Amino acid sequence: METMKPSKKPQITYLIVTLVIFLVLNVLIYNSMIKRPTQETSYYTFMKMIDEKEVKAANIESNQIVFTDKDGNQYKTGIINDEDLYKRLYEADVDFGAEIISQSNPIIYYLVTTAIWIVGIALLWRFITKRMTKKLGDSPDLMSFGLGDGKSNARVYVKSTSGIRFRDVAGEDEAKDLLTEIVNYLHEPQKYTEIGATLPKGALLVGPPGTGKTLLAKAVAGEANVPFFSISGSEFVQMFVGMGAAKVRDLFKQAKEKAPCIVFIDEIDAIGKKRDSSLSSNDEREQTLNQLLSEMDGFEGNNGVVILAATNRPESLDPALLRPGRFDRRIPVELPDLKGRVDILRVHAKKVKISDNVDFDVIARTAAGASGAQLANIINEAALRAVREGRRCVTQEDLMESVEVVIAGYQKKNKIMTNKEKLTVAYHEVGHALVAAMQTNSAPVTKITIIPRTSGALGYTMQVDEGEHNLMSKTEILNKISTFTGGRTAEELIFHEISTGASNDIEQATKLARAMVTRYGMTDDFDMVAMEHVQNQYLGGDTSMSCSDETATKIDQMVVKIVTEQHAKAKQILTDNIGKLHEIAKFLYENETITGEEFMEILNAKPESAANASENAAENAAENPTENA
Ligand code: ADP
Ligand code: MG
Ligand code: ZN
């Protein structure tokens, strides 16, 4: 059984240690206290020892003589018809006639052996009941045995020793501010109680994966310098099958004893999922959740137990968990903005040797949309690359390459592509880039490559915004859709044939167009009516429809119309610039990679064929003043 795995080994060790101690003690005590072994000696030796006054006491029994020497050693010898014996013994001052048993007190002997047996049996019994507890699961009395003794639960409640501080968490200033208050409270509770303020009992960190929720909770523990109980929701469910509720109870019992302290429940959605009336409901999880709810009600706001929890699925949590008095403070931990990304890169760059001329700003801009975890990974990948290339420190180039690794995967150097395929990919990518460059409001092209990546991409066009983008206008979305269609359009124009290479573009274009219709209210027909709802905002953003079938049909038609229009627009742009398309695609085919500067240089260069080209250039300049400048 999987749940027993972690504890199996320690239990066997426990049994062996018990047995060894038991045996060793028994042997030791037996030897030292009970009886020294009786040595057989000859009658001659006995006589000799009497003469040398070595014998202390002797007892003549019917068939043997037992005697002891001055040191307490015991001997025996056979009987010989010796009439002088008593006289000789008397003269040698030997105590005789009394029975010789043993020097040690028989009462102590019995007490000690009994005690050994009792201890031994008690230890064994404990071992057996422990195993039973694991098997029986939720019989409450048995369970209290294994709980809270710190040994079997070592993995569950970990006191923070990581020493992570707020300074290790970059960006996320709002979250840090909110958490700082909790830290201050734990330091000086009287300041708050004096004025009558009660601290929020629980704070819930919500945000996409890898944004530093777990890290923030650890930092709170590091700053507050109080005991930190950390457990993850899935551990409640997995490690202690049938014992979730008891585990919650035990956790809170321990926390109350250690107050002030912090209890951190990571991935709380594993236990805090909405209870529903569906048949597939999970009793075990519901019990655990109910126990958690009642524990959170059960202690006063001022007793110094602060509960932190983290999740990336806040929408799936039970509403009862979120009501005031439980997790009443919700701390959003969002993807970092440009400044946040720069800060995170700097924090992690401290851990590696990095050359002085690295421009974190450029890297942060290239890695738009990356989470903290991805940024940490970028630094590490760069360091690994530096080692591979035999360098002593990380350079800008390492970092830029590792951004691409994190976004698109490693380069697949030995992937075999035919020249025709390579050419197709080159035209496809330049198609994207040209459509982007010829429209207003799209981010400048910074790099195009046709080196295949492990993610499956055969090439890609990188566009990097100058600054942060928080809003997207309708024009921008339309231009983006048109850019997505640009790749396929180039294939159509040049090869009069289409390939599977555009599947991802199609998906993205459709997603944007659909969102315009159903969520952004960007069509005249539906005005500001939502037809879809986002279900999990932090994990992929799946949506659910909420409209009639007729409307759904209409939505589909409108989505098709939007994409078709943009596709036509892209076709127009590429037809107008077909000379540039050929020129840049040729360059890309030969070099495999083209930088933003090289791209703009070719684009802005006076074309050889004068007439229609100068016309194009004028058009470009009018249409696209910023990019061409
Ligand atoms: P989650 O939000 O999924 O719990 P984690 O806290 O586990 O994310 O973050 C994973 C790793 O990403 C951290 O260990 C850290 O190295 C890095 N990281 C994420 N966010 C930040 C941040 N704001 N500052 C510094 N490092 C971060
Ligand atoms: Mg986490
Ligand atoms: Zn494409």
Side-chain angles (χ1 to χ4, degrees):
M1 227 164 102
E2 210 191 353
T3 46
M4 281 181 56
K5 258 191 187 143
S7 51
K8 209 164 191 170
K9 221 174 150 196
Q11 277 190 353
I12 287 171
T13 327
Y14 187 66
L15 177 70
I16 290 172
V17 167
T18 312
L19 277 175
V20 167
I21 290 175
F22 181 59
L23 286 174
V24 166
L25 270 180
N26 219 349
V27 166
L28 275 181
I29 289 171
Y30 205 83
N31 270 346
S32 66
M33 295 197 61
I34 314 307
K35 262 188 190 169
R36 312 255 171 118
T38 307
Q39 270 172 261
E40 288 255 23
T41 54
S42 61
Y43 199 78
Y44 173 77
T45 319
F46 178 46
M47 290 287 118
K48 262 266 172 319
M49 285 172 76
I50 293 174
D51 288 347
E52 282 160 21
K53 296 216 163 23
E54 294 244 311
V55 177
K56 186 159 173 269
N59 187 33
I60 292 108
E61 294 169 6
S62 54
N63 56 348
Q64 61 176 6
I65 300 169
V66 180
F67 66 98
T68 59
D69 68 5
K70 295 257 148 65
D71 301 328
N73 298 318
Q74 201 164 305
Y75 305 87
K76 66 179 182 199
T77 183
I79 294 266
I80 281 181
N81 208 352
D82 179 357
E83 272 152 30
D84 285 344
L85 180 60
Y86 292 108
K87 198 175 152 214
R88 211 182 297 189
L89 286 173
Y90 186 75
E91 277 165 9
D93 210 10
V94 176
D95 180 17
F96 63 92
E99 200 184 344
I100 294 171
I101 310 166
S102 136
Q103 293 84 356
S104 59
N105 191 334
I107 295 175
I108 291 180
Y109 166 69
Y110 283 117
L111 284 181
V112 168
T113 26
T114 316
I116 289 172
W117 277 108
I118 289 173
V119 170
I121 289 170
L123 288 174
L124 263 173
W125 182 75
R126 220 190 118 119
F127 166 75
I128 290 164
T129 43
K130 262 193 146 171
R131 296 207 82 155
M132 301 253 293
T133 315
K134 295 274 183 246
K135 277 191 189 143
L136 288 178
D138 53 357
S139 160
D141 334 305
L142 276 177
M143 202 157 44
S144 54
F145 239 95
L147 290 175
D149 63 7
K151 245 181 244 156
S152 56
N153 298 338
R155 273 190 56 229
V156 185
Y157 309 142
V158 190
K159 197 179 165 209
S160 166
T161 48
S162 49
I164 291 173
R165 295 304 195 85
F166 278 151
R167 63 162 183 272
D168 298 312
V169 188
E172 309 298 351
D173 291 331
E174 300 75 21
K176 275 196 268 185
D177 283 348
L178 288 166
L179 290 169
T180 305
E181 199 174 54
I182 291 175
V183 171
N184 288 342
Y185 178 89
L186 291 171
H187 277 308
E188 306 173 280
Q190 72 284 358
K191 230 170 91 185
Y192 290 80
T193 44
E194 250 167 37
I195 204 169
T198 55
L199 190 74
K201 264 190 230 170
L204 183 65
L205 299 159
V206 299
T211 45
K213 298 181 294 296
T214 309
L215 192 69
L216 271 167
K218 283 185 187 153
V220 170
E223 294 283 338
N225 214 353
V226 295
F228 183 73
F229 296 95
S230 165
I231 187 164
S232 92
S234 55
E235 272 176 317
F236 268 125
V237 185
Q238 282 174 9
M239 261 178 68
F240 309 101
V241 180
M243 295 168 72
K247 275 282 147 189
V248 172
R249 209 178 309 131
D250 186 61
L251 175 67
F252 279 85
K253 195 172 131 240
Q254 285 196 40
K256 273 179 250 178
E257 281 163 13
K258 291 262 165 60
C261 69
I262 296 169
V263 174
F264 175 52
I265 307 173
D266 208 351
E267 315 289 353
I268 196 174
D269 43 283
I271 41 172
K273 242 182 252 155
K274 277 195 188 91
R275 290 163 293 186
D276 49 26
S277 51
S278 74
L279 280 176
S280 64
S281 80
N282 181 338
D283 273 353
E284 156 70 3
R285 207 192 59 226
E286 272 183 23
Q287 273 173 20
T288 310
L289 174 59
N290 284 332
Q291 187 66 38
L292 181 66
L293 293 175
S294 70
E295 288 292 347
M296 287 191 77
D297 277 342
F299 59 84
E300 277 68 58
N302 280 334
N303 73 357
V305 180
V306 173
I307 303 169
L308 293 181
T311 180
N312 38 35
R313 307 185 52 196
E315 71 288 335
S316 74
L317 291 182
D318 196 282
L321 206 52
L322 300 172
R323 75 139 165 81
R326 289 192 183 121
F327 287 111
D328 39 13
R329 181 169 282 192
R330 189 177 169 129
I331 302 179
V333 187
E334 296 288 347
L335 286 174
D337 57 9
L338 180 59
K339 187 176 167 298
R341 290 198 298 276
V342 174
D343 290 343
I344 293 172
L345 285 170
R346 280 188 204 285
V347 163
H348 287 278
K350 283 202 194 103
K351 298 174 198 157
V352 300
K353 282 209 187 97
I354 208 151
S355 75
D356 299 332
N357 56 6
V358 165
D359 187 349
F360 288 111
D361 207 61
V362 173
I363 296 150
R365 257 190 281 129
T366 314
S371 69
Q374 279 173 322
L375 292 167
N377 194 13
I378 285 172
I379 298 280
N380 191 49
E381 282 292 342
L384 292 176
R385 184 172 188 268
V387 174
R388 269 200 300 273
E389 312 257 301
R391 251 179 272 114
R392 283 293 181 87
C393 65
V394 176
T395 62
Q396 182 85 9
E397 199 201 340
D398 292 328
L399 285 163
M400 291 306 280
E401 172 60 29
S402 66
V403 171
E404 286 175 54
V405 166
V406 171
I407 294 172
Y410 290 94
Q411 292 187 355
K412 254 184 175 168
K413 293 228 175 70
N414 46 9
K415 178 159 180 114
I416 295 169
M417 289 211 334
T418 61
N419 288 346
K420 173 81 196 301
E421 275 175 339
K422 216 171 127 190
L423 196 65
T424 310
V425 177
Y427 272 103
H428 179 105
E429 294 306 330
V430 177
H432 284 306
L434 261 182
V435 174
M438 290 301 154
Q439 293 176 117
T440 48
N441 292 326
S442 51
V445 174
T446 49
K447 186 175 179 181
I448 314 170
T449 96
I450 51 167
I451 300 170
R453 295 272 168 174
T454 46
S455 66
L458 297 176
Y460 61 88
T461 304
M462 213 151 88
Q463 283 176 273
V464 176
D465 261 316
E466 286 297 337
E468 271 301 269
H469 237 65
N470 298 309
L471 287 176
M472 267 216 280
S473 67
K474 186 175 171 183
T475 319
E476 279 168 322
I477 299 186
L478 289 174
N479 286 354
K480 234 180 158 164
I481 295 174
S482 158
T483 304
F484 280 128
T485 60
R488 160 66 63 85
T489 311
E491 291 179 45
E492 287 166 348
L493 283 177
I494 308 299
F495 302 104
H496 306 290
E497 174 66 290
I498 52 184
S499 73
T500 53
S503 60
N504 184 43
D505 300 332
I506 292 171
E507 204 176 309
Q508 301 229 43
T510 311
K511 215 167 165 181
L512 274 179
R514 179 169 281 275
M516 280 179 76
V517 180
T518 59
R519 285 167 41 220
Y520 301 145
M522 286 180 173
T523 54
D524 297 333
D525 303 48
F526 293 144
D527 204 46
M528 288 178 62
V529 177
M531 303 292 171
E532 256 178 10
H533 299 280
V534 175
Q535 286 208 308
N536 48 4
Q537 137 194 41
Y538 296 124
L539 299 173
D542 287 347
T543 52
S544 66
M545 289 281 244
S546 54
C547 58
S548 69
D549 286 351
E550 296 89 82
T551 315
T553 315
K554 208 166 160 203
I555 289 171
D556 292 338
Q557 287 162 356
M558 289 164 85
V559 170
V560 173
K561 188 165 158 260
I562 291 174
V563 176
T564 314
E565 273 171 19
Q566 294 313 309
H567 189 176
K569 187 168 108 192
K571 201 164 207 161
Q572 188 59 48
I573 293 174
L574 291 183
T575 319
D576 291 346
N577 295 281
I578 197 123
K580 295 289 176 195
L581 178 62
H582 283 304
E583 219 176 313
I584 300 169
K586 182 166 174 274
F587 186 97
L588 183 60
Y589 178 77
E590 282 160 5
N591 296 284
E592 295 200 331
T593 298
I594 178 168
T595 65
E597 291 87 55
E598 288 167 335
F599 175 77
M600 288 322 287
E601 213 172 278
I602 303 177
L603 195 62
N604 292 336
K606 273 259 176 268
E608 305 92 59
S609 55
N612 88 51
S614 69
E615 201 185 305
N616 273 349
E619 220 170 72
N620 294 349
E623 210 181 313
N624 206 357
T626 44
E627 260 100 354
N628 285 358

Coordinates of all heavy atoms in Angstrom, one line a residue, residues 425 428-429 431-432 459-461 483-488 491 501-506, ligand 3:
V425 N 9.3 27.0 -43.7 CA 9.3 27.6 -42.3 C 9.9 29.0 -42.4 O 9.3 29.9 -41.8 CB 10.2 26.7 -41.3 CG1 10.2 27.4 -40.0 CG2 9.6 25.3 -41.2
H428 N 7.2 31.2 -43.7 CA 6.1 31.2 -42.7 C 6.5 32.3 -41.7 O 5.7 33.2 -41.4 CB 5.9 29.8 -42.1 CG 4.9 29.8 -41.1 ND1 3.6 29.2 -41.3 CD2 4.9 30.2 -39.8 CE1 2.9 29.3 -40.2 NE2 3.7 29.9 -39.2
E429 N 7.7 32.1 -41.1 CA 8.0 33.1 -40.0 C 8.2 34.5 -40.5 O 7.7 35.4 -39.8 CB 9.3 32.6 -39.4 CG 9.2 31.3 -38.6 CD 8.1 31.2 -37.6 OE1 7.8 32.2 -37.0 OE2 7.6 30.1 -37.4
G431 N 6.6 35.7 -42.9 CA 5.2 36.2 -43.1 C 4.6 36.8 -41.8 O 4.1 37.9 -41.8
H432 N 4.8 36.1 -40.7 CA 4.4 36.7 -39.4 C 5.0 38.0 -39.1 O 4.4 39.0 -38.8 CB 4.8 35.8 -38.2 CG 4.0 34.5 -38.0 ND1 2.6 34.5 -37.9 CD2 4.4 33.2 -37.9 CE1 2.2 33.3 -37.8 NE2 3.2 32.5 -37.8
G459 N 10.2 26.9 -35.8 CA 10.8 28.2 -35.9 C 9.9 29.2 -35.2 O 8.8 28.8 -34.8
Y460 N 10.4 30.4 -34.9 CA 9.5 31.3 -34.3 C 9.9 32.8 -34.4 O 11.1 33.0 -34.7 CB 9.1 31.0 -32.8 CG 10.3 31.1 -31.9 CD1 10.7 32.3 -31.3 CD2 11.0 29.9 -31.7 CE1 11.8 32.3 -30.5 CE2 12.2 29.9 -30.8 CZ 12.5 31.1 -30.3 OH 13.6 31.2 -29.5
T461 N 9.0 33.6 -34.3 CA 9.2 35.1 -34.4 C 9.0 35.7 -33.1 O 8.0 35.5 -32.4 CB 8.2 35.7 -35.4 OG1 8.3 35.0 -36.6 CG2 8.5 37.1 -35.6
T483 N -1.5 39.1 -37.5 CA -0.1 38.6 -37.5 C -0.1 37.1 -37.4 O 0.7 36.4 -38.0 CB 0.6 39.2 -36.2 OG1 0.5 40.6 -36.3 CG2 2.0 38.8 -36.2
F484 N -1.0 36.5 -36.6 CA -1.1 35.0 -36.5 C -1.4 34.4 -37.8 O -0.8 33.3 -38.1 CB -2.2 34.6 -35.5 CG -1.7 34.7 -34.0 CD1 -2.5 35.4 -33.1 CD2 -0.5 34.1 -33.6 CE1 -2.1 35.5 -31.8 CE2 -0.1 34.2 -32.3 CZ -0.9 34.9 -31.4
T485 N -2.2 35.0 -38.6 CA -2.5 34.4 -39.9 C -1.4 34.6 -40.9 O -1.4 34.0 -41.9 CB -3.8 35.0 -40.5 OG1 -3.6 36.4 -40.7 CG2 -5.0 34.8 -39.6
G486 N -0.5 35.6 -40.6 CA 0.6 35.9 -41.6 C 1.4 34.8 -42.0 O 1.8 34.7 -43.2
G487 N 1.7 33.8 -41.1 CA 2.6 32.7 -41.5 C 1.9 31.8 -42.6 O 2.6 31.6 -43.6
R488 N 0.7 31.4 -42.4 CA 0.0 30.6 -43.3 C -0.1 31.4 -44.7 O 0.0 30.8 -45.8 CB -1.4 30.2 -42.8 CG -2.4 29.8 -43.8 CD -2.1 28.5 -44.5 NE -2.0 27.4 -43.6 CZ -3.0 26.6 -43.3 NH1 -4.2 26.9 -43.7 NH2 -2.9 25.6 -42.5
E491 N 2.8 31.2 -46.8 CA 2.9 29.9 -47.5 C 2.0 29.8 -48.7 O 2.4 29.3 -49.8 CB 2.5 28.7 -46.5 CG 3.5 28.5 -45.4 CD 3.0 27.4 -44.5 OE1 2.5 26.3 -45.0 OE2 3.0 27.6 -43.2
G501 N 1.9 23.4 -40.4 CA 2.7 24.3 -39.6 C 2.0 25.4 -38.9 O 2.5 26.0 -38.0
A502 N 0.7 25.6 -39.3 CA 0.1 26.8 -38.7 C -0.9 26.5 -37.6 O -1.7 27.3 -37.2 CB -0.7 27.5 -39.9
S503 N -0.9 25.2 -37.2 CA -2.0 24.8 -36.2 C -2.0 25.7 -35.0 O -3.1 26.1 -34.5 CB -1.9 23.3 -35.9 OG -0.6 23.1 -35.3
N504 N -0.8 25.9 -34.4 CA -0.8 26.7 -33.2 C -1.3 28.2 -33.5 O -2.0 28.7 -32.7 CB 0.6 26.7 -32.6 CG 0.7 27.5 -31.3 OD1 -0.2 27.3 -30.5 ND2 1.7 28.3 -31.2
D505 N -0.9 28.7 -34.6 CA -1.4 30.1 -35.0 C -2.9 30.1 -35.1 O -3.5 31.1 -34.6 CB -0.8 30.5 -36.4 CG 0.7 30.5 -36.4 OD1 1.3 30.7 -35.3 OD2 1.3 30.2 -37.5
I506 N -3.4 29.1 -35.7 CA -4.9 29.0 -35.9 C -5.6 29.0 -34.5 O -6.5 29.7 -34.3 CB -5.3 27.8 -36.7 CG1 -4.7 28.0 -38.1 CG2 -6.7 27.6 -36.7 CD1 -4.8 26.7 -39.0
Ligands
ZN3 ZN 3.3 30.5 -37.3

